[in-house]
Amino acid sequence: MIDIVYAAEVVAARAEARPIVALESTIITHGMPWPQNAQTARAVEADVRAGGAVPATMAVIGGRLHVGLEAAELDALAQARDVAKLSRADFAACLAQGGTGATTVAATMIAARLAGIAVFATGGIGGVHRGAESSFDMSADLHELAQTPVSVVAAGAKAILDLPKTLEVLETLGVPVIAVGEDEFPAFWSRGSGLRAPLRMESAAEIARAHVMRGDMGLPGGQLVANPVPRAAEIPRAEIEPIIARALAEAEAQGVAGKAVTPFLLGRIFELTEGRSLETNIALVRNNARLAAEIAVEIAALRG
Ligand code: PSU
Ligand code: MN
């Protein structure tokens, strides 16, 4: 039996069928340094509330699935060391063994489905890594989007990845990729990738209707809602690309592999940009939280 602990505000929201937005915890434990990780997690939760929804940050603590973290739990997680990074493959084992872990996009989608939550906001999904033709490194986030009915609001896939291959795999898997208010697929720190997104929508209401339609049709899987970083916070592609290339070369030289790759690259890019990449990451995740709240409100209205 899964032991699920709902935060007090999530209990109240569920009782009144109010809109809820799921949030992940790997971005807190592996994606950002302390103390900005805790500050950002709190700001993102506040953004969701300001948008008329209730935030539910997911994590596994001592073998229990937490749907929503109380303030002290969130703070403890943000400072904890050696927290597992949970994806589809190890989520159940962590619960069964009484472990503690942070949820990636894939694991947060699974947790959201268990809690009946339709919308989830993050920074950027995982995808096909550069050099995947030899490393075979492809994030489990992609297959999760193909099978778990949650709309994920992200600033595209992280630009450390091979974005053309990521889009190809999403198409193969039948995942709707919706650019918000733009034709281009966004590239995390940059607004544009030079790649056209398969779908474009202008409003939260449209995105909500498409989400509900998929469910009505009995199609498994969710949607990737690709929301570009706000202009003021953007790092142009020409500026970030050489830094990404350098971080990738260092990862290769040091033999970084598996789950460690993405945290290593994000950490190095933070150092090489002297913190600017983190400012951009914070701005984009907050922007995604605001849109996710709007979508959650629209889905709740459609479901009446
Ligand atoms: N978005 C961010 N920072 C992050 C992540 C997303 O702004 O650190 C995390 C998510 O948890 C995502 C993970 O699932 O990075 C991807 O890891 P991997 O490439 O190992 O699948
Ligand atoms: Mn990987």
Side-chain angles (χ1 to χ4, degrees):
M1 249 247 325
I2 315 170
D3 197 350
I4 302 184
V5 183
Y6 292 94
E9 102 183 285
V10 178
V11 171
R14 284 164 60 86
E16 296 161 25
R18 271 158 44 212
I20 304 173
V21 171
L23 299 168
E24 62 151 301
S25 45
T26 294
I27 189 170
I28 302 172
T29 55
H30 294 72
M32 294 185 183
W34 165 267
Q36 290 97 332
N37 60 350
Q39 289 159 3
T40 303
R42 283 194 291 270
V44 164
E45 291 197 345
D47 291 327
V48 169
R49 290 185 195 103
V54 168
T57 302
M58 307 293 188
V60 177
I61 304 173
R64 307 209 296 173
L65 171 58
H66 285 247
V67 176
L69 295 176
E70 306 299 347
E73 291 165 344
L74 195 152
D75 235 61
L77 191 72
Q79 292 184 73
R81 307 216 155 251
D82 301 322
V83 176
K85 174 182 164 187
L86 301 176
S87 190
R88 165 171 283 259
D90 37 23
F91 195 171
C94 183
L95 288 168
Q97 294 180 309
T100 292
T103 56
T104 57
V105 168
T108 304
M109 290 179 74
I110 294 169
R113 179 181 55 73
L114 287 169
I117 301 171
V119 185
F120 159 31
T122 184
I125 63 158
V128 182
H129 282 264
R130 301 188 198 185
E133 56 275 28
S134 57
S135 70
F136 276 53
D137 190 350
M138 192 193 295
S139 178
D141 294 351
L142 300 180
H143 287 89
E144 205 60 51
L145 278 160
Q147 58 184 315
T148 300
V150 175
S151 281
V152 179
V153 184
K158 286 189 275 292
I160 54 176
L161 301 163
D162 185 324
L163 295 183
K165 287 195 185 73
T166 299
L167 283 173
E168 286 293 346
V169 170
L170 287 166
E171 185 187 8
T172 301
L173 293 173
V175 176
V177 177
I178 304 162
V180 182
E182 296 284 347
D183 291 328
E184 254 182 85
F185 185 61
F188 198 66
W189 297 287
S190 318
R191 288 179 59 84
S193 61
L195 303 164
R196 200 184 169 84
L199 296 165
R200 171 178 173 155
M201 292 185 193
E202 309 299 326
S203 71
E206 252 180 300
I207 297 163
R209 281 196 298 274
H211 176 101
V212 170
M213 185 64 75
R214 263 188 93 86
D216 288 350
M217 291 174 71
L219 291 172
Q223 309 189 110
L224 175 56
V225 179
N227 189 30
V229 61
R231 247 170 250 288
E234 172 180 35
I235 306 178
R237 254 197 306 155
E239 274 176 61
I240 197 76
E241 199 47 52
I243 293 165
I244 293 171
R246 184 166 159 199
L248 283 165
E250 290 178 12
E252 164 119 37
Q254 294 176 37
V256 181
K259 279 174 186 269
V261 172
T262 297
F264 175 88
L265 293 173
L266 292 176
R268 272 309 278 150
I269 293 167
F270 166 76
E271 289 165 2
L272 293 168
T273 61
E274 289 164 1
R276 186 168 168 215
S277 67
L278 179 59
E279 294 308 316
T280 302
N281 198 346
I282 293 168
L284 67 83
V285 66
R286 294 190 62 182
N287 191 47
N288 295 339
R290 289 187 286 267
L291 177 59
E294 281 185 57
I295 297 167
V297 167
E298 294 288 347
I299 290 176
L302 285 171
R303 286 177 175 165

